[in-house]
Amino acid sequence: MKKHVLFLFFLVFVHVTPTFGQEAKYIFYLIGDGMGLNQVNLTEIHQAEIQHKNSPIPLVFTQFPHVGFASTHSLSNGVTDSGAGGTALAVGKKTKNGVIGMDSTGTIPYKSIAYAAKEQGKKVGIITSVSIDHATPASFYAHQPDRDMYYEIGKEIITSNFDFFGGSNFLKPETTFDHKKAPSLFPILEKAGYKVLKGKDAYAQLKNKSDKIILMNSDGTPVDALKYAIDQKPSDLKLVDITSAAINSLHQDNTNGFFLMIEGGKIDWACHANDAGTTIQEVLDFNASAQLAYEFYQKYPKETLIVVTADHETGGLGIGNGSSSLKTKFLSHQKTSQSELSNTIGNLRKDRPNATWDDLKNLISLQTGLFSKIEVTETDRKALQDAYQKSFLDHQKETAKSLYASDDKIAALSISILNRMGSISWASNNHSAAYAPVYAIGVGSEQFSQKMDNTDIPKKIATAAKLSLD
């Protein structure tokens, strides 16, 4: 009996403990902000449908051998925000919504897995498709009682001494939380030894790629986030460009390994807008960065750990809204994000004050496929034509507000109709309490084949890499 118990204990020990002698030297921690299981599933289903297949076409990370799921509630709420969610994934502790890297009182700072990696001598990179001072990336390097303390968060880059930062820009580089004018962050960061690079050409021209780097959008491009993937042009800075640069820089002149956090931040934004077509392209954009991580893993399979997860789900996305037949292929007719469609409609209103209903209808058709490629019901046509009447003829500008956008009502209505025709439904414009998926491959990845809490994820990474979160 005693031998039987010891044998069972040994099996459990082997199952939950990384292989003796192995240590995760290279750590990729990918976070799809707002990316619930259905955001992933929709992308795979859609990829199959546009190829006239019924079985989902997998993303690179859904093929990882170890899969689990995590609860995401915060200390204060059943539905987390990205501050508390990011903090849980970064430090392994719960906090209340809105707090970054600290306890719920906003007085005790917590050490993140990124700091633990730096203490061990690893290089550290923090990159995102939104601003560098946004909640999820901030949770890995900053400690602030309020996620909106953007200037104060940005200054903590200096004390972090991390090696690579990438994203669109900084939201408030010259204004403190109490709305006071402050010295620009950029010369302060440069004085601290960071090369502040604007655009991928600036990175390409940098001679010493192992310098401490902050890579951002070029001048004249958006500050709050990279452009949505669906709206990007070849010259635009993309998350995969930043990921490639980060891997290149962190791996150069480095014998101790690295930790790289990659956030697909605009999956969340697209879901707040209930924009399924844009969401799919954001997940594919995130998957492109996962592909680069996987290609690195293939070169160093005995030294690399990749973990892919989300801080929460956004929108309560549903796939299938009545019929047994899915028509997500309709979403492929969408050419721009709801936000960009809103801008295009605004430009039509401005440039052509006497634009007719047919003018607007043709614009909507060109950008969404409605009317020309997708049959529109009489009820939906009337709703759009009524919105045209109010907006273009009666000059009553109506908007549809979500967390990160205030879009033209006609644009939002058009995308809503397209979503419904494409078998998609949404529960809200905000976060949900749905489980976050977890995918893992590499050293220590066997720990992730179970249900867990989001606070368990950095602890398991620490175990695989022999880091201390205490």
Side-chain angles (χ1 to χ4, degrees), residues 408-467:
D408 188 280
K409 177 72 177 292
I410 298 171
L413 184 56
S414 300
I415 296 301
S416 176
I417 293 168
L418 178 61
N419 278 204
R420 191 177 71 253
M421 300 299 290
S423 309
I424 301 302
S425 60
W426 297 90
S428 78
N429 292 101
N430 291 307
H431 301 172
S432 78
Y435 287 127
V438 184
Y439 310 90
I441 191 171
V443 181
S445 59
E446 65 276 0
Q447 300 176 90
F448 295 92
S449 294
Q450 62 189 87
K451 179 194 180 296
M452 64 200 86
D453 187 68
N454 55 5
T455 57
D456 295 324
I457 298 173
K459 294 172 186 175
K460 292 177 185 294
I461 294 173
T463 298
K466 299 182 180 177
L467 306 175

Coordinates of all heavy atoms in Angstrom, one line a residue, residues 408-467:
D408 N -19.6 56.9 -36.0 CA -20.8 57.3 -36.7 C -21.9 56.3 -36.6 O -21.6 55.1 -36.7 CB -20.5 57.6 -38.1 CG -21.7 58.3 -38.9 OD1 -22.6 57.5 -39.3 OD2 -21.6 59.5 -39.1
K409 N -23.1 56.7 -36.3 CA -24.2 55.7 -36.1 C -24.5 54.9 -37.3 O -24.7 53.7 -37.2 CB -25.5 56.5 -35.7 CG -26.8 55.7 -35.6 CD -26.7 54.8 -34.3 CE -28.0 54.1 -34.1 NZ -29.2 55.0 -33.9
I410 N -24.3 55.5 -38.5 CA -24.5 54.7 -39.7 C -23.4 53.6 -39.9 O -23.8 52.5 -40.3 CB -24.5 55.6 -41.0 CG1 -25.6 56.7 -40.9 CG2 -24.6 54.8 -42.3 CD1 -25.5 57.8 -41.9
A411 N -22.2 53.9 -39.5 CA -21.1 52.9 -39.6 C -21.4 51.8 -38.6 O -21.3 50.6 -39.0 CB -19.8 53.6 -39.3
A412 N -21.8 52.1 -37.4 CA -22.1 51.1 -36.4 C -23.3 50.2 -36.8 O -23.2 49.0 -36.6 CB -22.3 51.7 -35.0
L413 N -24.3 50.9 -37.4 CA -25.4 50.1 -37.8 C -25.1 49.2 -39.0 O -25.6 48.0 -39.0 CB -26.5 51.1 -38.2 CG -27.9 50.5 -38.6 CD1 -28.5 49.7 -37.5 CD2 -28.9 51.7 -39.0
S414 N -24.3 49.6 -39.9 CA -23.9 48.8 -41.0 C -23.1 47.6 -40.5 O -23.4 46.4 -41.0 CB -23.0 49.6 -42.0 OG -23.7 50.7 -42.5
I415 N -22.2 47.8 -39.6 CA -21.4 46.6 -39.1 C -22.2 45.7 -38.3 O -22.1 44.5 -38.3 CB -20.2 47.2 -38.3 CG1 -19.2 48.0 -39.1 CG2 -19.4 46.0 -37.6 CD1 -18.6 47.2 -40.3
S416 N -23.2 46.3 -37.5 CA -24.1 45.4 -36.8 C -24.9 44.5 -37.7 O -25.1 43.3 -37.4 CB -25.0 46.3 -35.9 OG -26.0 45.5 -35.2
I417 N -25.4 45.1 -38.8 CA -26.2 44.3 -39.8 C -25.3 43.2 -40.4 O -25.7 42.0 -40.5 CB -26.8 45.2 -40.8 CG1 -27.8 46.1 -40.3 CG2 -27.4 44.4 -42.0 CD1 -28.2 47.2 -41.2
L418 N -24.1 43.6 -40.7 CA -23.1 42.6 -41.3 C -22.8 41.5 -40.3 O -22.8 40.3 -40.7 CB -21.8 43.3 -41.7 CG -20.7 42.4 -42.3 CD1 -21.2 41.7 -43.5 CD2 -19.5 43.2 -42.6
N419 N -22.6 41.8 -39.0 CA -22.4 40.8 -38.0 C -23.6 39.8 -37.9 O -23.4 38.6 -37.9 CB -22.2 41.5 -36.6 CG -20.8 42.0 -36.4 OD1 -20.4 42.2 -35.3 ND2 -20.1 42.3 -37.5
R420 N -24.8 40.4 -37.9 CA -25.9 39.5 -37.7 C -26.1 38.6 -39.0 O -26.4 37.4 -38.8 CB -27.2 40.3 -37.6 CG -28.4 39.5 -37.2 CD -29.6 40.4 -36.9 NE -30.2 41.0 -38.1 CZ -30.1 42.2 -38.5 NH1 -29.5 43.1 -37.7 NH2 -30.6 42.7 -39.6
M421 N -25.9 39.1 -40.1 CA -25.9 38.3 -41.4 C -24.8 37.3 -41.4 O -25.0 36.2 -42.0 CB -25.8 39.2 -42.6 CG -26.9 40.3 -42.7 SD -28.6 39.6 -42.8 CE -28.5 38.9 -44.5
G422 N -23.7 37.6 -40.7 CA -22.6 36.7 -40.6 C -22.6 35.7 -39.5 O -21.6 35.2 -39.1
S423 N -23.8 35.6 -38.9 CA -24.1 34.6 -37.8 C -23.4 35.0 -36.4 O -23.2 34.1 -35.6 CB -23.5 33.2 -38.2 OG -24.0 32.8 -39.4
I424 N -23.2 36.2 -36.3 CA -22.5 36.7 -35.0 C -23.4 37.5 -34.1 O -24.2 38.3 -34.6 CB -21.3 37.6 -35.4 CG1 -20.3 36.8 -36.3 CG2 -20.6 38.1 -34.1 CD1 -19.8 35.6 -35.7
S425 N -23.4 37.2 -32.8 CA -24.1 38.0 -31.9 C -23.1 38.5 -30.8 O -22.1 37.9 -30.6 CB -25.2 37.2 -31.3 OG -24.7 36.0 -30.6
W426 N -23.5 39.5 -30.1 CA -22.7 40.1 -29.0 C -23.6 40.3 -27.8 O -24.8 40.7 -27.9 CB -22.1 41.4 -29.4 CG -21.2 41.3 -30.5 CD1 -21.5 41.5 -31.9 CD2 -19.8 41.2 -30.5 NE1 -20.4 41.4 -32.6 CE2 -19.3 41.2 -31.8 CE3 -18.8 41.0 -29.4 CZ2 -17.9 41.0 -32.1 CZ3 -17.5 40.8 -29.8 CH2 -17.0 40.9 -31.1
A427 N -23.0 40.0 -26.6 CA -23.8 40.2 -25.3 C -23.7 41.6 -24.8 O -24.7 42.1 -24.2 CB -23.3 39.3 -24.2
S428 N -22.6 42.3 -25.1 CA -22.4 43.7 -24.6 C -21.3 44.4 -25.4 O -20.7 43.8 -26.2 CB -22.1 43.7 -23.1 OG -20.8 43.3 -22.9
N429 N -21.0 45.6 -25.0 CA -19.9 46.3 -25.5 C -18.7 46.3 -24.5 O -17.7 47.1 -24.7 CB -20.2 47.8 -25.8 CG -21.2 47.9 -27.0 OD1 -22.4 48.1 -26.8 ND2 -20.6 47.8 -28.2
N430 N -18.8 45.5 -23.5 CA -17.8 45.5 -22.4 C -17.3 44.1 -22.2 O -17.6 43.2 -22.9 CB -18.4 46.1 -21.2 CG -18.7 47.6 -21.3 OD1 -17.8 48.4 -21.7 ND2 -19.9 48.0 -21.1
H431 N -16.4 44.0 -21.1 CA -15.8 42.7 -20.8 C -16.8 41.8 -20.3 O -17.9 42.2 -19.8 CB -14.7 43.0 -19.7 CG -13.6 43.9 -20.1 ND1 -12.7 44.4 -19.2 CD2 -13.4 44.5 -21.3 CE1 -11.9 45.2 -19.9 NE2 -12.3 45.3 -21.1
S432 N -16.5 40.5 -20.3 CA -17.3 39.5 -19.7 C -16.5 38.6 -18.7 O -15.3 38.8 -18.6 CB -17.9 38.5 -20.8 OG -16.9 37.6 -21.2
A433 N -17.2 37.7 -18.0 CA -16.5 36.9 -17.1 C -16.1 35.5 -17.7 O -15.8 34.6 -16.9 CB -17.4 36.7 -15.8
A434 N -16.1 35.4 -19.0 CA -15.8 34.1 -19.6 C -14.4 33.7 -19.3 O -13.5 34.5 -19.1 CB -16.0 34.3 -21.2
Y435 N -14.2 32.4 -19.3 CA -12.8 31.9 -19.1 C -11.9 32.4 -20.2 O -12.3 32.6 -21.3 CB -12.8 30.3 -19.1 CG -13.4 29.7 -17.9 CD1 -14.4 28.7 -18.1 CD2 -13.0 29.9 -16.6 CE1 -15.0 28.1 -17.0 CE2 -13.5 29.3 -15.5 CZ -14.5 28.4 -15.7 OH -15.0 27.7 -14.6
A436 N -10.6 32.6 -19.8 CA -9.6 32.9 -20.8 C -8.9 31.6 -21.2 O -8.5 30.8 -20.4 CB -8.6 33.8 -20.2
P437 N -8.7 31.4 -22.5 CA -8.0 30.2 -23.0 C -6.5 30.3 -22.6 O -6.0 31.4 -22.5 CB -8.2 30.2 -24.5 CG -8.4 31.6 -24.8 CD -9.1 32.2 -23.7
V438 N -5.8 29.1 -22.5 CA -4.4 29.1 -22.2 C -3.8 28.0 -23.1 O -4.3 26.9 -23.1 CB -4.1 28.8 -20.8 CG1 -2.6 28.9 -20.5 CG2 -4.8 29.7 -19.8
Y439 N -2.8 28.4 -23.9 CA -2.1 27.5 -24.7 C -0.6 27.5 -24.4 O 0.0 28.6 -24.2 CB -2.3 27.9 -26.2 CG -3.7 28.1 -26.6 CD1 -4.3 29.4 -26.5 CD2 -4.5 27.1 -27.1 CE1 -5.6 29.6 -26.9 CE2 -5.8 27.3 -27.5 CZ -6.4 28.5 -27.4 OH -7.7 28.8 -27.7
A440 N 0.1 26.4 -24.4 CA 1.5 26.4 -24.1 C 2.3 25.3 -24.8 O 1.8 24.2 -25.1 CB 1.7 26.2 -22.6
I441 N 3.6 25.6 -25.1 CA 4.5 24.7 -25.7 C 5.9 24.9 -25.1 O 6.2 26.1 -24.8 CB 4.5 24.7 -27.2 CG1 5.2 23.6 -27.8 CG2 5.0 26.1 -27.7 CD1 5.0 23.5 -29.4
G442 N 6.7 23.9 -25.0 CA 8.1 24.1 -24.6 C 8.3 23.7 -23.1 O 7.5 22.9 -22.5
V443 N 9.4 24.1 -22.6 CA 9.9 23.7 -21.3 C 8.9 24.2 -20.2 O 8.5 25.3 -20.1 CB 11.3 24.4 -20.9 CG1 11.7 24.0 -19.6 CG2 12.3 24.0 -22.0
G444 N 8.3 23.2 -19.5 CA 7.4 23.5 -18.4 C 6.0 23.6 -18.9 O 5.1 23.9 -18.1
S445 N 5.7 23.4 -20.2 CA 4.4 23.7 -20.7 C 3.3 22.7 -20.2 O 2.1 23.0 -20.2 CB 4.4 23.6 -22.2 OG 4.9 22.4 -22.7
E446 N 3.8 21.5 -19.7 CA 2.8 20.5 -19.2 C 2.0 21.0 -18.0 O 1.0 20.5 -17.7 CB 3.6 19.2 -18.8 CG 4.6 19.4 -17.7 CD 5.9 19.9 -18.1 OE1 6.1 20.2 -19.3 OE2 6.8 20.0 -17.2
Q447 N 2.5 22.1 -17.4 CA 1.8 22.6 -16.2 C 0.5 23.3 -16.6 O -0.4 23.5 -15.7 CB 2.7 23.7 -15.5 CG 4.0 23.2 -15.0 CD 4.7 24.4 -14.5 OE1 4.6 24.8 -13.3 NE2 5.5 25.1 -15.3
F448 N 0.3 23.6 -17.9 CA -0.8 24.4 -18.3 C -2.0 23.6 -18.8 O -3.0 24.2 -19.3 CB -0.4 25.4 -19.3 CG 0.6 26.4 -18.8 CD1 2.0 26.1 -18.9 CD2 0.2 27.6 -18.2 CE1 2.9 27.0 -18.4 CE2 1.1 28.5 -17.6 CZ 2.5 28.2 -17.7
S449 N -2.0 22.3 -18.7 CA -3.1 21.4 -19.2 C -4.1 21.2 -18.1 O -4.3 20.1 -17.6 CB -2.5 20.1 -19.6 OG -1.7 20.2 -20.8
Q450 N -4.8 22.3 -17.7 CA -5.8 22.2 -16.6 C -6.6 23.5 -16.5 O -6.2 24.5 -17.1 CB -5.1 21.9 -15.3 CG -4.1 23.0 -14.9 CD -3.3 22.6 -13.7 OE1 -2.2 22.1 -13.8 NE2 -3.7 23.0 -12.5
K451 N -7.6 23.4 -15.6 CA -8.2 24.7 -15.3 C -7.4 25.4 -14.2 O -6.8 24.7 -13.3 CB -9.6 24.4 -14.7 CG -10.3 25.7 -14.2 CD -11.5 25.5 -13.4 CE -12.2 26.8 -13.0 NZ -11.3 27.6 -12.1
M452 N -7.3 26.7 -14.3 CA -6.4 27.4 -13.4 C -7.0 28.8 -13.2 O -8.0 29.2 -13.9 CB -5.0 27.5 -13.9 CG -4.8 28.3 -15.2 SD -3.3 28.0 -16.1 CE -3.8 26.5 -17.1
D453 N -6.5 29.6 -12.3 CA -6.8 31.0 -12.1 C -5.8 31.8 -12.9 O -4.6 31.3 -13.1 CB -6.8 31.4 -10.7 CG -7.3 32.8 -10.4 OD1 -8.5 33.0 -10.7 OD2 -6.5 33.7 -10.1
N454 N -6.1 33.0 -13.3 CA -5.1 33.8 -14.1 C -3.9 34.1 -13.2 O -2.8 34.2 -13.8 CB -5.7 35.1 -14.6 CG -6.4 36.0 -13.5 OD1 -6.3 35.7 -12.3 ND2 -7.0 37.0 -13.9
T455 N -4.0 34.1 -11.9 CA -2.8 34.3 -11.1 C -1.9 33.1 -11.1 O -0.7 33.3 -10.7 CB -3.2 34.6 -9.6 OG1 -4.0 33.5 -9.1 CG2 -4.0 35.9 -9.5
D456 N -2.3 32.0 -11.5 CA -1.5 30.8 -11.5 C -0.5 30.8 -12.7 O 0.6 30.2 -12.7 CB -2.3 29.5 -11.7 CG -3.2 29.2 -10.4 OD1 -2.7 29.6 -9.3 OD2 -4.3 28.8 -10.6
I457 N -0.9 31.6 -13.8 CA -0.1 31.5 -15.0 C 1.4 32.1 -14.8 O 2.3 31.4 -15.1 CB -0.8 32.3 -16.1 CG1 -2.1 31.6 -16.4 CG2 0.1 32.3 -17.4 CD1 -3.0 32.3 -17.4
P458 N 1.6 33.3 -14.2 CA 3.0 33.7 -14.0 C 3.7 32.8 -13.0 O 4.9 32.7 -13.1 CB 2.8 35.1 -13.5 CG 1.4 35.2 -13.0 CD 0.6 34.3 -13.8
K459 N 3.0 32.2 -12.1 CA 3.7 31.3 -11.1 C 4.2 30.1 -11.8 O 5.3 29.6 -11.5 CB 2.7 30.9 -10.0 CG 2.2 32.1 -9.1 CD 1.1 31.7 -8.2 CE 0.6 32.8 -7.4 NZ -0.6 32.5 -6.6
K460 N 3.4 29.6 -12.8 CA 3.9 28.4 -13.5 C 5.0 28.7 -14.4 O 6.0 28.0 -14.6 CB 2.7 27.8 -14.3 CG 1.6 27.2 -13.5 CD 0.4 26.8 -14.3 CE -0.8 26.3 -13.5 NZ -0.4 25.1 -12.7
I461 N 5.0 29.9 -15.0 CA 6.1 30.4 -15.8 C 7.4 30.5 -14.9 O 8.5 30.1 -15.3 CB 5.8 31.7 -16.5 CG1 4.7 31.6 -17.5 CG2 7.1 32.3 -17.2 CD1 4.2 32.9 -18.1
A462 N 7.2 31.1 -13.8 CA 8.3 31.2 -12.8 C 8.9 29.8 -12.5 O 10.1 29.7 -12.4 CB 7.9 31.9 -11.6
T463 N 8.1 28.8 -12.3 CA 8.5 27.5 -12.0 C 9.3 26.9 -13.2 O 10.4 26.4 -13.0 CB 7.3 26.6 -11.7 OG1 6.6 27.0 -10.6 CG2 7.8 25.1 -11.5
A464 N 8.8 27.1 -14.4 CA 9.5 26.6 -15.6 C 10.9 27.3 -15.8 O 11.8 26.7 -16.3 CB 8.6 26.8 -16.8
A465 N 11.0 28.6 -15.5 CA 12.2 29.3 -15.7 C 13.1 29.5 -14.4 O 14.1 30.1 -14.5 CB 11.9 30.7 -16.2
K466 N 12.6 28.9 -13.3 CA 13.3 28.9 -12.0 C 13.5 30.4 -11.6 O 14.6 30.8 -11.3 CB 14.6 28.2 -12.1 CG 14.4 26.7 -12.4 CD 15.7 25.9 -12.4 CE 15.4 24.4 -12.7 NZ 16.6 23.6 -12.8
L467 N 12.4 31.1 -11.7 CA 12.4 32.5 -11.3 C 11.7 32.7 -9.9 O 10.9 31.8 -9.6 CB 11.7 33.4 -12.3 CG 12.2 33.3 -13.7 CD1 11.3 34.2 -14.7 CD2 13.7 33.8 -13.9

